[in-house]
Amino acid sequence: MKEAKQMSVSAIQNGTVIDHVPASNLFKVIQILGLDRIENQITFGTNLESKKLGLKAIIKISGVFFEDKDINRIALVAPDAKLNIIKDYEVVEKKVVEVPEIIVGIAKCMNPKCITNFETVTTRFSIVSKKNISLKCHYCEKITNQENLEII
Ligand code: CTP
Ligand code: ZN
């Protein structure tokens, strides 16, 4: 018989569990989802072992069920994230995140001359590649790739 698994972060009754977040991007995910501005209970664990990711983080948000378009915003920094929807302590749905076609106001354009870097213009990108995530700026058309990706 399979041994009972020890949870490193307590189970929640209702809400969303975001698993398989790269540990190095935990705080970016928190920032993108605005978790620092809500009053719901949030627990997280980080630097947990993951066979796939090396070190992963897990975030449990009680009482919040995200819209797909909102949760997909984390795909830039957590492309392998797995969402578990919890109702009455049970996992009722599992979802993966999908990189959106258009990214509005999450990333910074790497072109220092871009208008978005010296005027208050919300950044806007289209996705050129979903695999190694590269973004094309709507304003200056320069490419910002994964290595240069900076979250604002
Ligand atoms: N979970 C939770 N509270 C619950 C039920 C589940 O916080 N009431 C969390 C578990 O800790 C786990 C995730 O939700 O991180 C998914 O739960 P489950 O599907 O039971 O775990 P696994 O089979 O390990 O899922 P997977 O292999 O898909 O990650
Ligand atoms: Zn630009």
Side-chain angles (χ1 to χ4, degrees):
M1 203 178 90
K2 205 173 131 188
E3 259 181 74
K5 257 196 314 187
Q6 180 89 38
M7 276 194 195
S8 32
V9 183
S10 305
I12 60 171
Q13 186 173 2
N14 288 295
T16 305
V17 172
I18 310 174
D19 199 357
H20 298 283
V21 171
S24 53
N25 285 342
L26 169 63
F27 292 94
K28 287 181 181 165
V29 170
I30 289 173
Q31 187 190 348
I32 290 171
L33 294 178
L35 301 183
D36 48 349
R37 295 191 300 268
I38 63 172
E39 291 187 349
N40 302 64
Q41 281 192 10
I42 305 173
T43 49
F44 63 80
T46 188
N47 295 333
L48 309 172
E49 265 167 48
S50 154
K51 288 191 189 88
K52 260 178 41 193
L53 290 179
L55 293 177
K56 71 163 188 178
I58 187 164
I59 308 171
K60 302 189 179 190
I61 308 131
S62 292
V64 175
F65 303 96
F66 296 93
E67 303 258 352
D68 287 353
K69 70 167 174 27
D70 293 331
I71 204 76
N72 284 341
R73 292 159 56 87
I74 72 171
L76 281 188
V77 296
D80 298 316
K82 303 273 182 311
L83 301 173
N84 299 275
I85 314 304
I86 315 289
K87 296 206 170 138
D88 240 341
Y89 287 108
E90 299 289 331
V91 178
V92 294
E93 197 182 347
K94 286 181 181 277
K95 297 192 213 177
V96 291
V97 297
E98 202 186 305
V99 180
E101 301 294 330
I102 305 280
I103 307 279
V104 179
I106 302 172
K108 182 173 152 64
C109 179
M110 69 162 294
N111 172 14
K113 293 191 179 142
C114 180
I115 185 166
T116 60
N117 285 318
F118 55 90
E119 280 187 27
T120 44
V121 178
T122 308
T123 62
R124 187 180 178 91
F125 302 88
S126 54
I127 298 284
V128 190
S129 161
K130 288 198 179 188
K131 264 226 155 134
N132 286 309
I133 299 172
S134 66
L135 312 172
K136 185 178 182 187
C137 179
H138 171 76
Y139 296 96
C140 71
E141 302 199 322
K142 290 274 186 303
I143 304 289
T144 297
N145 55 28
Q146 185 107 70
E147 293 82 70
N148 301 312
L149 190 64
E150 222 181 285
I151 302 299
I152 43 180

